[in-house]
Amino acid sequence: MAKILGVKFKNTAKTYYFAPQEGEDYAEKSGVIVETAKGLEYGTVVFGVKEVDDKEIVHPLKPVVRKATEKDEKTIKENQKKIPSAMEFANEKIAELNLKMKLIGCEYAFDGKKIVFFFTADNRIDFRELVKVLAAKFHVRIELRQIGIRDETKLLGGIAPCGRECCCSKSLTDFGKVTIKMAKNQGLHLNPGKISGLCGRLMCCLEYENDYYAEVFKKMPKLGATVGTPEGDGVVISNDMLKLISKVKISKGDGSEVYKDFPVDRLRFKKAKSDDDDDDKTVSEDMKKILD
């Protein structure tokens, strides 16, 4: 068994494990200084010291150097205050150098010896001259890091179409693979405005319950399919994937039409085989724009 301490950095959702100092207790949400591959960093305790099986961690664990002091907390606040002016200066120089890039954010290393600028761009950017200008201004090591459109939303955050904070900035630890197939499994209309997030890509939440919907999808009749019901043949109008109920339009002999709900186990229809014709190759041009 190994003792670990759970720590998060900045506003990320991912929890990292560190080796606590022997005999120390760490309160949740308190600050700690830890050793990372990037050097010393400030983190926030997610959970206190606990023991886990050695198989659950990757050895060797980086150590917790110390609990954060008032001086450390002050350093973090001072670094945060420097960000707006650093962003303003960098944006001015990007405009002067006519670089086709969009600056998203920046962060100071805990020790103040490095500044990382995050940007997006449609193509590769030659930012060597920009690095020289920024280094001459701030007298620290400068790193420019190009990120994708999903990472941009994760960094900036925002309110998703559901009314909650974006999953990528609030709770996701890593981006999963999201496909059109997942939207089809849930019976969603393939309207880009309905199934894409703030980043313009497919919503991450489509992946959450995909295992369930993928299994149920195989049991449900297709929309528009002709099915047999206890009251005669009809056409499927809609499916309730949670209740396993299909709404069917039945045409009567007198020309009238009746709409009724039937449990899927009371319908007769030919179950579809694995539907692999929607592997993102048969979607519209509008839909292709929101695919990763």
Side-chain angles (χ1 to χ4, degrees):
M1 301 291 283
K3 290 184 177 181
I4 63 170
L5 182 73
V7 177
K8 286 185 180 179
F9 298 102
K10 301 179 179 65
N11 296 320
T12 60
K14 190 170 184 176
T15 299
Y16 295 86
Y17 298 155
F18 290 88
Q21 290 190 4
E22 194 66 35
E24 284 279 16
D25 290 324
Y26 301 88
E28 289 187 14
K29 298 184 179 180
S30 63
V32 289
I33 306 303
V34 296
E35 182 182 324
T36 72
K38 302 176 183 178
L40 295 183
E41 288 196 62
Y42 175 93
T44 303
V45 176
V46 179
F47 58 79
V49 179
K50 68 177 183 179
E51 291 188 344
V52 298
D53 193 290
D54 288 323
K55 296 178 181 179
E56 296 182 28
I57 60 177
V58 178
H59 288 285
L61 288 177
K62 293 285 188 180
V64 174
V65 177
R66 64 175 186 274
K67 294 180 179 180
T69 63
E70 289 186 9
K71 183 178 179 181
D72 295 327
E73 300 287 352
K74 183 178 179 180
T75 297
I76 292 297
K77 292 179 181 179
E78 289 176 348
N79 286 343
Q80 286 295 114
K81 291 179 180 179
K82 296 176 185 177
I83 290 177
S85 59
M87 288 283 290
E88 182 179 359
F89 180 81
N91 272 317
E92 289 176 1
K93 296 308 173 183
I94 288 172
E96 288 179 13
L97 295 170
N98 196 29
L99 297 175
K100 305 300 181 182
M101 57 191 287
K102 176 184 175 184
L103 196 61
I104 302 301
C106 79
E107 63 180 35
Y108 277 75
F110 171 69
D111 59 10
K113 295 180 179 180
K114 182 176 74 171
I115 308 176
V116 181
F117 290 90
F118 301 94
F119 72 94
T120 59
D122 294 332
N123 302 297
R124 294 187 63 180
I125 302 294
D126 183 357
F127 48 67
R128 288 174 294 183
E129 187 61 31
L130 177 61
V131 170
K132 292 179 183 178
V133 173
L134 294 176
K137 170 66 175 179
F138 299 109
H139 305 290
V140 297
R141 179 184 169 192
I142 301 295
E143 180 180 331
L144 269 76
R145 189 176 301 170
Q146 186 169 355
I147 61 176
I149 191 169
R150 298 176 82 189
D151 293 296
E152 176 184 354
T153 302
K154 180 181 178 69
L155 188 64
L156 297 178
I159 303 301
C162 63
R164 298 174 65 89
E165 190 174 346
C166 290
C167 294
C168 59
S169 61
K170 182 66 175 179
S171 58
L172 284 186
T173 57
D174 296 294
F175 287 116
K177 181 175 175 58
V178 188
T179 67
I180 288 293
K181 177 68 173 176
M182 294 177 181
K184 288 192 174 185
N185 284 344
Q186 296 186 35
L188 301 177
H189 293 293
L190 300 186
N191 180 339
K194 298 293 185 180
I195 61 175
S196 57
L198 296 185
C199 61
R201 298 292 188 263
L202 291 170
M203 293 189 294
C204 297
C205 57
L206 292 176
E207 180 194 15
Y208 294 170
E209 298 173 343
N210 184 61
D211 289 345
Y212 168 81
Y213 283 109
E215 194 61 34
V216 170
F217 182 81
K218 301 174 185 177
K219 303 176 182 179
M220 305 294 293
K222 287 189 173 183
L223 297 182
T226 299
V227 297
T229 78
E231 299 182 20
D233 291 348
V235 177
V236 178
I237 302 302
S238 65
N239 287 320
D240 188 321
M241 307 291 280
L242 297 178
K243 295 181 179 179
L244 297 181
I245 291 175
S246 294
K247 184 179 290 293
V248 180
K249 179 179 72 174
I250 302 173
S251 298
K252 298 294 186 178
D254 59 3
S256 63
E257 295 179 340
V258 177
Y259 294 82
K260 299 201 71 173
D261 292 336
F262 295 94
V264 68
D265 58 6
R266 297 188 64 191
L267 300 177
R268 302 185 307 278
F269 60 94
K270 184 178 180 180
K271 293 185 179 180
K273 297 180 180 179
S274 179
D275 189 3
D276 294 326
D277 62 345
D278 49 7
D279 58 356
D280 303 343
K281 296 180 180 178
T282 60
V283 298
S284 67
E285 289 301 317
D286 285 341
M287 288 303 302
K288 288 179 181 178
K289 293 178 182 178
I290 71 170
L291 297 177
D292 288 332

